[in-house]
Amino acid sequence: KTYTGKEITPSPKLTLDGKTLKKGTDYRLSYYNNTDVGTATITATGIGNYKGTLSTTFKIIPKKVASFKKVSGTKAVTLSWAKPSQSNGYQIFRKSTYNGKTYTKVKGIPDSSKTTWKNSSLKADREYYYCIRTFKTVDGKRYYSDYTYLTAPTLPGGKTAVAKTSTKLYSTPTLTGDALASIPKSAKITYVGRTYVTSSKIVYHVKYNNGSETLEGYIPSTVTLTF
């Protein structure tokens, strides 16, 4: 369960010999240490024909990081976030390909008051994928929040470009599924950056004004762009 600042009272299912017992009729529940981040205890106490007690535990984890933002540099990305309550620090992970399955830890921050970090020495004009989680240490044990995710290109502000050939705009870098729109030849677009689907397959991340709405998606890197 995630920390809320209030008592957390989950109701586990109790059975005996295949029969589901009824809360308030066959047993009552009590809770211990069930407000702050840490390990909470639930105790079921039998009522009537049911005697004795049975206990189990559950974890209360910190709230995940909110307002995860980025500022792009030519070969760097500066990350910032809002400090959540019940936090002692943060861990930041990164991957460099869309289809990459593993995020690698790139920074540990043991001070929860520090809410910004600059990732330098990156490749220019490339998108990177980040996730961050917070942690709190209770009785020598760390409790981690869920992850918050962010995509960040190393191309500040993007560039205005013209597509020299017509193409389809897709919602994901895999360029599959229904197209968001058709981009005609000589249309103006905003070039956001290069997305590496794998280490060898590249697509372009772009924005396209389709009438009154701005669509954001991906086009093949075989499309010739002029800037």
Side-chain angles (χ1 to χ4, degrees), residues 1-224:
K1 300 294 182 179
T2 301
Y3 170 81
T4 64
K6 301 178 181 179
E7 288 190 354
I8 298 175
T9 56
S11 294
K13 178 181 178 181
L14 272 67
T15 62
L16 179 63
D17 298 331
K19 175 186 176 182
T20 298
L21 305 185
K22 294 182 179 180
K23 179 182 174 182
T25 300
D26 301 323
Y27 66 92
R28 62 177 179 271
L29 297 176
S30 59
Y31 302 85
Y32 172 73
N33 198 34
N34 63 324
T35 301
D36 293 329
V37 171
T39 299
T41 302
I42 310 174
T43 299
T45 303
I47 299 174
N49 293 329
Y50 299 94
K51 307 297 183 181
T53 61
L54 182 65
S55 295
T56 190
T57 61
F58 67 95
K59 293 180 181 179
I60 300 177
I61 62 174
K63 286 184 178 180
K64 69 179 184 179
V65 168
S67 302
F68 196 22
K69 299 178 180 180
K70 88 277 188 179
V71 175
S72 297
T74 302
K75 291 185 179 181
V77 171
T78 299
L79 303 173
S80 62
W81 55 91
K83 176 186 175 181
S85 57
Q86 298 277 309
S87 172
N88 293 144
Y90 313 93
Q91 291 182 336
I92 300 173
F93 301 79
R94 185 190 70 210
K95 68 177 184 176
S96 56
T97 61
Y98 177 80
N99 279 349
K101 294 182 179 180
T102 303
Y103 282 84
T104 301
K105 181 182 173 183
V106 291
K107 185 65 176 178
I109 301 175
D111 181 1
S112 64
S113 65
K114 182 176 175 59
T115 57
T116 184
W117 177 65
K118 184 176 182 179
N119 190 187
S120 303
S121 302
L122 300 174
K123 293 183 179 180
D125 190 10
R126 179 168 183 161
E127 287 189 324
Y128 290 87
Y129 304 88
Y130 293 91
C131 61
I132 186 173
R133 66 180 180 180
T134 185
F135 64 83
K136 183 177 182 181
T137 303
V138 180
D139 296 330
K141 181 178 180 180
R142 277 189 178 183
Y143 294 82
Y144 295 98
S145 73
D146 292 329
Y147 291 98
T148 303
Y149 295 87
L150 177 70
T151 301
T154 51
L155 185 64
K159 295 180 179 180
T160 300
V162 173
K164 301 299 288 184
T165 56
S166 61
T167 186
K168 299 288 187 180
L169 179 70
Y170 293 90
S171 61
T172 66
T174 56
L175 307 182
T176 57
D178 294 333
L180 294 174
S182 295
I183 300 177
K185 179 181 177 180
S186 301
K188 287 186 178 181
I189 60 175
T190 299
Y191 172 77
V192 178
R194 291 185 299 173
T195 297
Y196 281 71
V197 181
T198 65
S199 59
S200 59
K201 182 181 178 180
I202 300 171
V203 298
Y204 293 152
H205 186 177
V206 303
K207 294 180 182 179
Y208 171 60
N209 290 328
N210 185 27
S212 61
E213 63 177 341
T214 299
L215 301 175
E216 185 168 356
Y218 304 85
I219 62 175
S221 58
T222 52
V223 176
T224 302

